[in-house]
Amino acid sequence: MLNPFELIPIVNSVPCKIESIEIWQNNIYLGTNDGQVLLYIIEKVENNKKVTFKSRMEKRKTLGYGKKPVEKLLLIADIGKLLTLCDGNLDVFSMYNLDSPNGQAPISNNKGVITFCSKKKSPEFKICVVTKRKLTFYEFIGVFDMYKEIVLPEVALTVEWCKNSLCVGSKKEYAVVDVDSGLYKSLLPLDKNAPGPRTKLILDQEKFLLTTVDLSIMVDLQGDIVEGSIVWDSSPMSMSYLEPYLITILQNKSINIHDMKNQKLIQELNNSNNSSKGSSTSSGISFQQVFEGRGNGRDFIVLYSSSPNSVFCLHVGNIDDIVHQLINRGEHEEAIRLFEIFFKRERAELEDSYDPNKEKQIHQQRLCKVYELVAMSEFYRFKFSSAFKYLQLSKLDHRAIISYFPTYMPYQTNYRSPLDQSDIFKSIRDNALSNAPNTIDTKDVDSIIDDSKSQLTIYLEQYLNSSSGGNGVGNGSEEFKDLTTVLLKLYSEANKISKLISLLAKCRINGNSVINNQFYIQDVEEWLNNKHLFKQLGLVYQYTEKYRKALLLWNRLSLGELSDHFNCNGIEESIQLLECKQNQDLLPEPNKELVWEFTPFLIKITQQHQQQQQQQLNKIKNKNKNKGKGNDNDSNDDSNNNSNNNSNADEDDSIKQLPMKIFLKKRKDQFIVDDVIEFLTPFGDYYYQMYLEYLIYQEENRVDYLHTRLATSYIEQIFKNSPELQSAQGRTDIPIANSDRQKLIDLLEFSNCYNASTLLHRVRNSLLYEELVILYLRIGQYEMMFNIIVWKLNNFKKAEYICESFDPHFSLSVTNVVSTQTSTIITPPISSTTTPNSSSPNIMGTSPSTNFRNSIRLQQNNTTTTATTTTTTTTTTINNNNNNVQLSSSPIPGFNLANNNLNDSNLPKSTLYDAKRQELFLCLLRTYLNYKEQSLKSNVKNQLANSLIKDSNGEAIIPRYIIEFLNHYYEEMDPIKVLALLPNSIPINLLESYLSNSFNYSISQQRESKIVKNLQKSLNLSTKSEYMMVCSASVYIGSDRRCSVCSKPISDRVFVYFPNGTIVHPKCFQIPFVCPISARNFKLNPVEYPQSI
């Protein structure tokens, strides 16, 4: 057990038998069995840490009730009163000289007081007196004056009072009484034949302890049972409470001491051990009562006995010894709790020179020492999580605990630890190898060491983070350098790169300035070299601006000259350094010379890595081919291998792209474009194509030769990979656009800055039909464009839609016409250094989202459906024969996709037929009429044969699609020009519908124009009339005209006129559009016509 108390005699050989006791500081008051009160003065003597007491009788007082015992004494020290209960009489005396105060009559007029108590935890001086079945309450106002009575159902034998609750015990039961309302609440029934009830107030917890013969339970002030009970071996005779201990004298004369936090027995005193710790006279003592009071400035426990008649003290031992004992037993929280309690009690008696700040400082120092002892106890038990938690509270210098990790302590530090230094890693390993009890398993050694490192890292992180808020060590101090050096090593060893970079960045910042040398660079460099942590070492070089040294180190890793502990090859780190990916504002950019020097190596090494991975991929493919395809499992394996091969190919491509990150990012010191292109050209088309794509798609560079060069590079790549596409002679098939062609199509659709004639000269005779369509449209050669669309691609609907979608007031965008892969089109603003042909629609597009390209093109689907227009969705779909065109319904410059009939407008037209739109439609009609020459080609021969309209003799007249075209777009073309293009042999009945619709449209437009003209004339007259009414208002200022605000004459001064007729001086208003008289806001509530004055 803990054994915190020691039994020491205070007063020996009292002349009478003791019945009651009270104590205050050096005064002990004893009530005897013959009606006397004895006052003793005690003196504490300490010799070699052994405590003894001396005592002498100071005064004797006879109460005057004969030989009746003094049943109870009660001190109220704040008012200097001593209350005595003898033979049912309650009297008041001075606690200093035991004299009766003047003017104070006996508190109870009638004899018969059973017991009494004072109110605890209250600044008021009140007592409760129990007489038979009644509670009488008194308050001290110079004298004790009664102010309330409460009647009880039973005779109370014991009572305790805290706040507004009274706990009373009778022969029948325990109960709680609310003093304010008088409510009586029964709690616990009692056996009438058992000894009298005993209740005790646990003051700090505000709970009542209710005791029976063999059990004590706890209730709160409202009478509700709470957790906590004590089972007794023998019936309790007397109880006393000294936080946190309950001291009880039992029927068997032993003394039990319980901790009331957990109701655990911590010490037991009886006759057999009294003699070992007390005097020789203490053997065979029969204790009668225990009492708590105030002695020598602290809470005090005293006991008295009847044989002999003596008084003893339960003296609390040295607090430090008790705390050490608990820490050694592993009861750390208990040690801290008891320290707080005993320290508060120890410092309760304050001297005249009391300084609260000094007392707080003493408390903090001693508490930190306790935390330190607890932490070191846990540390050597290898419980690092709790150890570092207490170290954080102990305020111990962090470097002291780092001394237990000598491998991390910088050798350049000047710090010397006050603790006994030992290597904790060695202690862990030695413990695992020893045969002592409670050793750790050898299998757990590494995990325990890792846990110690992790907890040390967290411990230092928390401290450095708090220091950044101004609560700890500052940047630049020696302690900061020591701790930062250790934390850098821990991060590096754990491969926590992000945290390492963050700490390196923090070491460069001091307020608003950037500095270096916030850690021991040489120490870290040597340590990382010895640990083969070259990736981390390169980062240290980088953040100390030793760029060349870092790049050379990582290059050696890439070449295999060095081996990194975490198998880092240094390629990605070198690229990130050169592209300034991390902490751009903190670290200066590496100069261009480093880029030109190290980038060729990075490109070559990434190419080698890609080739190696490609070789491994080929081996896997060959191995899969040799397996055969005999069963389902083999087919499943093949599908899995195919998916793996695709992922590996993507990974290879990403490896190849890594060095380009250096150039695909904005720098403060920008690269010259021509220099970069010249630099990248020797490494192949892939690299400078990627750079040009970045300039065009992301940087929105509009220099024409860059666009032309990229497109030319795409064309050469296409012809190199697919030479059969260079010539269209003898070919009737339509090749599907592959990935190489798609890049070219994307560029032609997106850009309007390239030289279309140059590109057209290169691909004019090729099979790149989709590209030719864009280029011919770009330079305004519509007939060539329509010939390819109609007779090569056989896509009639696309040709018609180009004409239909064209708006002469805006630029025509091919991407908007042929889009099928995206449902939302965002058109960026176009700024070009070149001016395209005014007769040619401009070509513009969207910014790609994948590899700088987002393809927007026509997809050909072999389906036969009818034309469909959907207004409830976000897209419009037009299908014809083997074509499918999907378009965004969002507003697009140059298009009106919400309605197929683009000429339906309520606005008057300058001419009946728009010249530019008519030109496109007539050009398409001429292309359609050229069907006889195209009918000789096999790719459209069958389709033309099926669509021809024949006469009664079976002679072909004209294809049906031409008639359908005329009937559908009769609003777009002048019938006279159409008839001039049609063959003379066409029957008039075939054109009846077209001519009828066209003439009706012409007549309707003429009538509508006349109506609009007359309406415009009417509007013009109305506007002129209104204008005249507004201009007719006038303002006359006479000599008698005064300001509406200040009432002073306007005279010939400058004035302000408001539309409602108010005239004021310029200084007499605040807001120009608010009348200062009526407060009318003319912006929100304008007048119809200004008023004349």
Side-chain angles (χ1 to χ4, degrees):
M1 291 187 181
L2 185 59
N3 299 327
F5 290 97
E6 181 181 1
L7 190 62
I8 302 174
I10 298 178
V11 180
N12 295 318
S13 302
V14 178
C16 304
K17 183 180 179 181
I18 304 172
E19 293 290 342
S20 56
I21 189 171
E22 259 287 10
I23 183 171
W24 180 257
Q25 297 197 7
N26 295 333
N27 299 345
I28 291 183
Y29 302 87
L30 301 177
T32 65
N33 63 341
D34 58 357
Q36 295 186 85
V37 176
L38 307 180
L39 172 58
Y40 279 83
I41 305 298
I42 62 174
E43 180 183 355
K44 182 179 179 180
V45 179
E46 291 190 35
N47 186 13
N48 295 329
K49 295 185 179 181
K50 184 176 181 180
V51 178
T52 58
F53 291 90
K54 296 179 180 180
S55 62
R56 57 182 176 83
M57 183 184 295
E58 180 69 17
K59 197 170 183 64
R60 184 194 298 259
K61 175 70 175 182
T62 301
L63 299 183
Y65 298 109
K67 299 295 184 179
K68 301 296 183 178
V70 181
E71 302 170 18
K72 187 171 183 177
L73 298 176
L74 176 64
L75 276 173
I76 305 179
D78 292 338
I79 58 176
K81 303 301 180 183
L82 172 67
L83 281 68
T84 64
L85 176 60
C86 180
D87 193 24
N89 296 286
L90 185 59
D91 297 308
V92 180
F93 299 95
S94 171
M95 62 178 289
Y96 306 110
N97 53 20
L98 300 183
D99 293 337
S100 298
N102 297 328
Q104 174 68 61
I107 293 180
S108 180
N109 296 327
N110 300 322
K111 184 178 179 180
V113 176
I114 300 174
T115 186
F116 66 99
C117 69
S118 62
K119 185 177 182 180
K120 306 294 193 304
K121 279 203 169 184
S122 172
E124 303 170 317
F125 306 113
K126 296 181 179 181
I127 61 173
C128 174
V129 179
V130 180
T131 56
K132 297 184 180 179
R133 296 190 178 185
K134 183 172 63 174
L135 300 178
T136 307
F137 298 90
Y138 294 85
E139 182 177 9
F140 184 78
I141 51 176
V143 295
F144 284 98
D145 184 40
M146 184 185 75
Y147 70 93
K148 188 173 186 177
E149 289 185 344
I150 296 177
V151 179
L152 302 177
E154 298 291 336
V155 177
L157 301 179
T158 181
V159 63
E160 287 284 357
W161 189 3
C162 182
K163 294 187 176 179
N164 291 327
S165 297
L166 274 169
C167 182
V168 297
S170 63
K171 279 285 187 179
K172 181 181 178 182
E173 63 182 357
Y174 285 110
V176 170
V177 179
D178 187 290
V179 177
D180 293 335
S181 63
L183 181 64
Y184 182 91
K185 180 180 179 181
S186 298
L187 299 179
L188 180 66
L190 296 174
D191 185 1
K192 294 183 179 181
N193 299 323
R198 301 186 185 277
T199 181
K200 192 64 186 175
L201 174 63
I202 310 301
L203 191 60
D204 59 306
Q205 301 182 24
E206 296 186 357
K207 298 175 184 177
F208 295 116
L209 185 69
L210 311 182
T211 304
T212 62
V213 177
D214 57 357
L215 179 67
S216 290
I217 63 173
M218 297 179 70
V219 297
D220 58 18
L221 299 183
Q222 289 73 39
D224 298 325
I225 297 178
V226 295
E227 184 179 0
S229 62
I230 301 174
V231 178
W232 303 107
D233 296 333
S234 180
S235 177
M237 292 174 54
S238 177
M239 291 180 172
S240 181
Y241 182 71
L242 176 67
E243 184 186 1
Y245 299 122
L246 177 70
I247 299 94
T248 309
I249 300 177
L250 301 179
Q251 194 73 35
N252 59 10
K253 305 305 180 183
S254 64
I255 303 173
N256 285 3
I257 302 172
H258 292 79
D259 189 335
M260 291 308 293
K261 180 183 178 182
N262 50 22
Q263 295 79 48
K264 180 181 178 182
L265 179 65
I266 64 166
Q267 187 175 2
E268 184 176 4
L269 298 170
N270 51 42
N271 290 339
S272 60
N273 58 22
N274 288 343
S275 58
S276 62
K277 294 187 179 183
S279 64
S280 60
T281 61
S282 63
S283 59
I285 300 174
S286 177
F287 294 106
Q288 301 296 320
Q289 187 177 0
V290 61
F291 181 79
E292 73 273 9
R294 297 288 296 174
N296 288 330
R298 58 168 56 182
D299 294 332
F300 209 63
I301 293 293
V302 292
L303 308 91
Y304 68 82
S305 62
S306 56
S307 56
N309 295 321
S310 303
V311 179
F312 293 82
C313 165
L314 280 177
H315 181 263
V316 181
N318 185 279
I319 180 176
D320 295 331
D321 295 339
I322 296 174
V323 169
H324 277 79
Q325 186 178 352
L326 288 171
I327 291 175
N328 293 333
R329 292 165 54 177
E331 300 178 15
H332 306 132
E333 294 297 331
E334 185 69 13
I336 296 170
R337 183 177 70 93
L338 290 181
F339 168 80
E340 293 283 6
I341 294 172
F342 287 124
F343 180 84
K344 179 180 177 181
R345 185 177 301 137
E346 180 182 292
R347 311 295 294 187
E349 182 63 20
L350 305 176
E351 301 177 355
D352 295 337
S353 60
Y354 169 72
D355 183 359
N357 294 329
K358 184 177 180 180
E359 287 296 318
K360 185 177 180 180
Q361 183 179 0
I362 294 173
H363 170 262
Q364 190 64 30
Q365 290 175 352
R366 294 187 61 181
L367 181 60
C368 288
K369 188 62 179 178
V370 174
Y371 282 137
E372 180 183 334
L373 294 173
V374 173
M376 299 313 299
S377 174
E378 290 288 87
F379 194 76
Y380 280 105
R381 288 187 173 94
F382 309 135
K383 297 178 180 179
F384 297 105
S385 177
S386 59
F388 282 104
K389 180 185 74 173
Y390 289 115
L391 280 171
Q392 197 75 28
L393 299 171
S394 70
K395 310 298 182 184
L396 182 67
D397 193 316
H398 290 61
R399 293 173 290 181
I401 199 64
I402 296 174
S403 63
Y404 290 94
F405 299 84
T407 183
Y408 301 112
M409 196 69 177
Y411 67 82
Q412 294 174 281
T413 182
N414 296 322
Y415 176 78
R416 295 296 177 265
S417 173
L419 305 178
D420 295 333
Q421 297 185 13
S422 61
D423 190 343
I424 191 63
F425 297 157
K426 184 176 183 301
S427 300
I428 294 173
R429 295 187 181 96
D430 293 344
N431 182 279
L433 298 175
S434 66
N435 296 324
N438 299 325
T439 58
I440 60 176
D441 193 342
T442 54
K443 298 179 181 179
D444 299 331
V445 170
D446 292 338
S447 64
I448 294 175
I449 291 177
D450 291 341
D451 180 55
S452 67
K453 297 177 184 178
S454 174
Q455 295 300 327
L456 177 62
T457 303
I458 296 172
Y459 175 64
L460 296 179
E461 283 177 343
Q462 292 176 347
Y463 183 62
L464 290 179
N465 289 338
S466 64
S467 70
S468 63
N471 299 323
V473 62
N475 291 17
S477 66
E478 183 178 350
E479 183 181 0
F480 181 84
K481 295 177 70 173
D482 291 339
L483 300 183
T484 303
T485 302
V486 174
L487 198 53
L488 286 174
K489 294 178 181 179
L490 289 168
Y491 284 155
S492 300
E493 190 175 36
N495 201 27
K496 297 180 179 179
I497 300 301
S498 60
K499 291 188 175 182
L500 175 65
I501 291 174
S502 176
L503 183 58
L504 287 170
K506 182 179 178 180
C507 291
R508 290 179 55 85
I509 301 176
N510 185 14
N512 296 324
S513 59
V514 178
I515 58 176
N516 283 317
N517 300 327
Q518 292 299 292
F519 58 93
Y520 297 109
I521 299 176
Q522 183 178 351
D523 181 275
V524 173
E525 181 179 350
E526 293 179 4
W527 192 88
L528 293 175
N529 258 316
N530 294 333
K531 294 288 184 177
H532 296 278
L533 300 173
F534 299 113
K535 175 181 179 179
Q536 292 81 348
L537 179 57
L539 290 172
V540 172
Y541 288 149
Q542 178 180 351
Y543 278 82
T544 52
E545 300 183 26
K546 301 176 182 178
Y547 295 148
R548 180 177 295 277
K549 205 169 183 179
L551 291 169
L552 290 173
L553 176 67
W554 286 331
N555 282 5
R556 293 181 65 189
L557 279 178
S558 304
L559 294 172
E561 297 177 6
L562 296 175
S563 177
D564 185 75
H565 179 74
F566 294 105
N567 299 322
C568 171
N569 58 19
I571 296 176
E572 187 172 353
E573 289 71 24
S574 300
I575 293 172
Q576 289 180 356
L577 188 153
L578 291 174
E579 69 168 318
C580 306
K581 183 176 181 180
Q582 298 165 346
N583 295 304
Q584 301 179 37
D585 298 333
L586 187 62
L587 290 174
E589 284 183 344
N591 56 48
K592 293 179 181 178
E593 286 71 19
L594 289 176
V595 175
W596 307 133
E597 178 182 354
F598 288 95
T599 303
F601 169 78
L602 294 173
I603 293 176
K604 292 178 181 178
I605 199 69
T606 52
Q607 290 175 342
Q608 292 176 5
H609 280 233
Q610 184 189 20
Q611 293 174 0
Q612 293 174 0
Q613 291 194 3
Q614 187 62 37
Q615 292 175 359
Q616 294 177 357
L617 183 61
N618 293 335
K619 290 180 181 179
I620 294 174
K621 289 181 178 179
N622 295 332
K623 184 177 180 181
N624 293 335
K625 289 180 180 179
N626 296 331
K627 281 185 176 180
K629 303 177 180 179
N631 50 42
D632 294 339
N633 293 333
D634 291 337
S635 62
N636 293 334
D637 292 341
D638 291 339
S639 62
N640 293 335
N641 290 329
N642 290 333
S643 62
N644 293 335
N645 293 340
N646 293 333
S647 63
N648 291 333
D650 295 338
E651 185 178 351
D652 291 343
D653 193 52
S654 63
I655 293 175
K656 192 176 180 180
Q657 294 176 7
L658 283 176
M660 288 304 300
K661 293 181 179 179
I662 301 171
F663 303 101
L664 306 184
K665 190 172 184 180
K666 289 185 178 180
R667 289 170 51 102
K668 297 177 181 177
D669 182 15
Q670 290 291 335
F671 291 114
I672 299 176
V673 174
D674 292 337
D675 291 348
V676 177
I677 295 175
E678 183 181 357
F679 174 78
L680 293 175
T681 301
F683 300 104
D685 296 342
Y686 178 84
Y687 293 103
Y688 84 80
Q689 282 181 5
M690 184 179 293
Y691 179 65
L692 290 176
E693 289 168 356
Y694 164 75
L695 293 177
I696 293 171
Y697 291 111
Q698 286 199 349
E699 294 296 318
E700 298 182 356
N701 189 302
R702 314 306 292 180
V703 179
D704 55 352
Y705 83 91
L706 296 177
H707 294 244
T708 305
R709 178 165 183 172
L710 180 59
T712 304
S713 176
Y714 285 156
I715 294 171
E716 297 301 330
Q717 184 177 352
I718 292 171
F719 289 159
K720 179 180 178 182
N721 297 334
S722 303
E724 68 277 4
L725 298 178
Q726 295 188 52
S727 177
Q729 294 182 358
R731 297 284 296 272
T732 59
D733 58 321
I734 302 175
I736 299 174
N738 56 16
S739 59
D740 292 337
R741 287 187 59 193
Q742 190 55 53
K743 291 193 293 184
L744 176 59
I745 293 172
D746 292 340
L747 177 62
L748 296 178
E749 291 174 348
F750 175 82
S751 172
N752 66 345
C753 299
Y754 51 83
N755 190 322
S757 299
T758 302
L759 301 179
L760 189 60
H761 178 75
R762 185 69 182 87
V763 299
R764 188 185 303 274
N765 298 321
S766 68
L767 286 173
L768 307 181
Y769 293 139
E770 292 188 30
E771 294 84 338
L772 284 169
V773 168
I774 300 172
L775 291 173
Y776 282 131
L777 178 59
R778 179 76 172 80
I779 63 176
Q781 296 185 11
Y782 302 139
E783 291 189 11
M784 298 296 294
M785 175 189 70
F786 286 135
N787 277 330
I788 293 176
I789 296 175
V790 175
W791 305 122
K792 298 291 185 182
L793 298 177
N794 196 20
N795 194 338
F796 292 77
K797 203 63 182 179
K798 176 180 177 180
E800 294 178 11
Y801 192 78
I802 289 178
C803 298
E804 182 181 5
S805 303
F806 176 66
D807 189 338
H809 301 289
F810 297 95
S811 298
L812 178 63
S813 172
V814 173
T815 59
N816 297 328
V817 176
V818 298
S819 172
T820 63
Q821 292 186 346
T822 57
S823 60
T824 303
I825 299 176
I826 304 173
T827 306
I830 293 182
S831 59
S832 175
T833 58
T834 62
T835 303
N837 188 350
S838 61
S839 63
S840 169
N842 291 335
I843 301 174
M844 57 187 178
T846 62
S847 178
S849 60
T850 304
N851 197 17
F852 313 124
R853 294 180 297 272
N854 187 11
S855 175
I856 304 174
R857 67 184 188 277
L858 174 70
Q859 289 289 335
Q860 297 183 356
N861 301 323
N862 294 323
T863 58
T864 303
T865 58
T866 59
T868 304
T869 302
T870 304
T871 59
T872 58
T873 61
T874 60
T875 59
T876 301
T877 305
I878 300 176
N879 302 292
N880 180 38
N881 297 335
N882 60 342
N883 306 294
N884 185 326
V885 183
Q886 182 176 347
L887 301 147
S888 170
S889 63
S890 60
I892 301 172
F895 297 91
N896 182 7
L897 303 185
N899 194 331
N900 283 340
N901 191 355
L902 298 179
N903 288 333
D904 290 344
S905 175
N906 294 325
L907 296 177
K909 297 182 179 180
S910 59
T911 59
L912 185 59
Y913 303 101
D914 186 272
K916 292 184 178 181
R917 288 178 60 85
Q918 183 175 237
E919 179 187 356
L920 279 176
F921 279 96
L922 291 175
C923 184
L924 179 57
L925 178 59
R926 284 192 293 270
T927 303
Y928 282 167
L929 291 172
N930 194 24
Y931 66 92
K932 291 183 179 180
E933 297 179 7
Q934 303 298 330
S935 63
L936 301 176
K937 300 179 181 180
S938 59
N939 61 331
V940 295
K941 183 177 182 179
N942 294 332
Q943 184 176 353
L944 286 174
N946 295 331
S947 64
L948 287 174
I949 300 175
K950 300 180 180 180
D951 59 11
S952 59
N953 297 326
E955 295 294 331
I957 301 175
I958 196 170
R960 183 176 288 103
Y961 62 81
I962 296 179
I963 303 300
E964 293 176 353
F965 174 73
L966 293 174
N967 291 336
H968 189 68
Y969 297 107
Y970 63 86
E971 302 173 351
E972 303 291 349
M973 297 173 287
D974 189 340
I976 297 176
K977 294 183 179 181
V978 171
L979 292 175
L981 294 176
L982 293 176
N984 296 329
S985 60
I986 185 172
I988 194 66
N989 64 317
L990 295 178
L991 301 177
E992 180 182 359
S993 176
Y994 163 69
L995 293 174
S996 175
N997 291 334
S998 179
F999 291 155
N1000 288 337
Y1001 170 74
S1002 176
I1003 295 171
S1004 174
Q1005 289 296 313
Q1006 289 178 1
R1007 291 174 178 174
E1008 182 180 342
S1009 297
K1010 290 180 180 179
I1011 295 172
V1012 171
K1013 178 181 178 181
N1014 292 329
L1015 290 174
Q1016 291 292 342
K1017 286 184 178 180
S1018 175
L1019 179 61
N1020 186 31
L1021 292 174
S1022 176
T1023 304
K1024 286 183 177 180
S1025 174
E1026 185 176 355
Y1027 174 73
M1028 294 176 64
M1029 291 182 65
V1030 171
C1031 294
S1032 64
S1034 62
V1035 179
Y1036 173 75
I1037 302 297
S1039 58
D1040 59 342
R1041 176 69 63 184
R1042 294 181 176 273
C1043 174
S1044 300
V1045 175
C1046 65
S1047 299
K1048 294 181 180 180
I1050 297 293
S1051 66
D1052 59 348
R1053 299 176 184 175
V1054 177
F1055 64 92
V1056 176
Y1057 166 78
F1058 288 91
N1060 61 352
T1062 302
I1063 294 180
V1064 297
H1065 290 120
K1067 64 179 181 180
C1068 293
F1069 78 99
Q1070 295 180 347
I1071 304 175
F1073 51 84
V1074 176
C1075 176
I1077 302 301
S1078 63
R1080 180 175 181 176
N1081 190 323
F1082 296 105
K1083 280 190 174 181
L1084 302 179
N1085 186 20
V1087 298
E1088 186 174 359
Y1089 300 107
Q1091 297 181 10
S1092 298
I1093 301 175

